[in-house]
Amino acid sequence: QSVAVDRSKATALIEPKLGTKAIDSLTTGDYLGWRNGLVPETEDPEERRRAQATANRAWTILRAALNMAYESSKVQSADAWRRVRPFENVDRPGDRFLSEAECRRLLNACRPAFRSLVRGALYTGCRLGELVRLRTADVVDDQVIVRHSKAGKMRRIPLSDEGAKFFDQVTAGKAGDDLVFPAEDGEAWERIDVHRSMVAAAAAAKLSPAPTFRDLRRTYGSLLINAGAEGAVIQRLLGHADQRMTLRVYSHLLDKTIEATVKTKSPTFGLEKSKVRKVKP
């Protein structure tokens, strides 16, 4: 999946500007101009940060390809691109989590095929790449089997009662190899179409700040944590390689869960009665 994602990003972000140019003809200014062109002019600092983070990821893919070309002696010099530095302090986990009410508003604003895809994300916490490749045979015994994950490991995601009913509906009458979430034309979703559909639905639902599709995955985790789920459970469900990623994204929510657990589940030992009280400022 990682290779497919990188290829998709290269097709969308790199090839349109640099795909027809010889590497030896490109200067540091050309690379900087391309990178900076990926960041739109905006007064919204969070929108700018996200665009810069996306540009950094695209630059990582391009730089890896350039370095391989140089190491294979297909390019005479690597000086032009090695002078380019990524944007600094922009790669941090997103903090947009939708409430249940916001999720309902978003769903009501979606077109039918896209609504199913959004529901799939909210019921499973799957990445977009995992959802668009999901086949009917991957939905078994009220579970979704993710065979093509970012970490390269298969995982099983149990479904809630409502989630199980939904997946029964969207897989009814389909062959095992059929896509669970086809686009309106019956083919697999393209990322750009998902992005455009998300922007349109968020605007129609009047959600501010506007969520991205990736925020649905964070929302899945955050709503479970708010319901009392532990970090280790979230890690397994989301397919994080280790709990550091889970803590990085959900640490502030987990702190609240820990606090609530201590207050409601700690043992009591029969405190002796006393009239002593702390004087509050």
Side-chain angles (χ1 to χ4, degrees), residues 134-140 145 147 171 175-178 180:
L134 203 63
R135 304 284 174 172
T136 299
D138 298 328
V139 183
V140 182
I145 303 173
R147 305 183 189 278
T171 57
D177 197 44
D178 287 346
V180 175

Side-chain angles (χ1 to χ4, degrees), residues 39-100:
V39 182
E41 294 185 6
T42 175
E43 296 180 0
D44 184 344
E46 177 59 20
E47 182 179 352
R48 182 173 181 80
R49 182 200 67 78
R50 290 199 301 263
Q52 289 176 331
T54 298
N56 279 355
R57 289 190 286 271
W59 173 237
T60 297
I61 296 169
L62 176 57
R63 184 178 58 198
L66 293 170
N67 286 337
M68 181 177 292
Y70 176 70
E71 291 166 4
S72 302
S73 301
K74 295 180 180 179
V75 183
Q76 295 182 358
S77 174
D79 291 344
W81 68 80
R82 288 186 176 173
R83 297 190 184 100
V84 178
R85 295 289 180 266
F87 293 107
E88 296 182 353
N89 303 319
V90 298
D91 186 19
R92 66 175 186 268
D95 55 5
R96 179 68 165 105
F97 306 96
L98 279 69
S99 67
E100 290 186 51

Side-chain angles (χ1 to χ4, degrees), residues 210-230:
T212 65
F213 195 89
R214 185 177 180 82
D215 290 331
L216 303 180
R217 175 172 163 84
R218 300 189 188 99
T219 295
Y220 171 84
S222 69
L223 292 177
L224 282 176
I225 290 174
N226 288 339
E230 298 179 355

Side-chain angles (χ1 to χ4, degrees), residues 254-266:
L254 288 169
D255 287 342
K256 294 180 180 178
T257 300
I258 291 170
E259 180 181 345
T261 300
V262 170
K263 288 184 178 297
T264 60
K265 297 186 178 181
S266 292

Side-chain angles (χ1 to χ4, degrees), residues 106-151:
L106 177 66
L107 287 166
N108 289 336
C110 293
R111 295 171 64 89
F114 186 60
R115 184 183 300 124
S116 290
L117 187 66
V118 171
R119 281 192 181 275
L122 291 173
Y123 285 132
T124 65
C126 283
R127 301 174 178 90
L128 174 59
E130 296 168 346
L131 285 172
V132 299
R133 298 177 69 178
L134 203 63
R135 304 284 174 172
T136 299
D138 298 328
V139 183
V140 182
D141 297 331
D142 295 345
Q143 297 183 80
V144 169
I145 303 173
V146 179
R147 305 183 189 278
H148 308 284
S149 69
K150 184 178 180 180

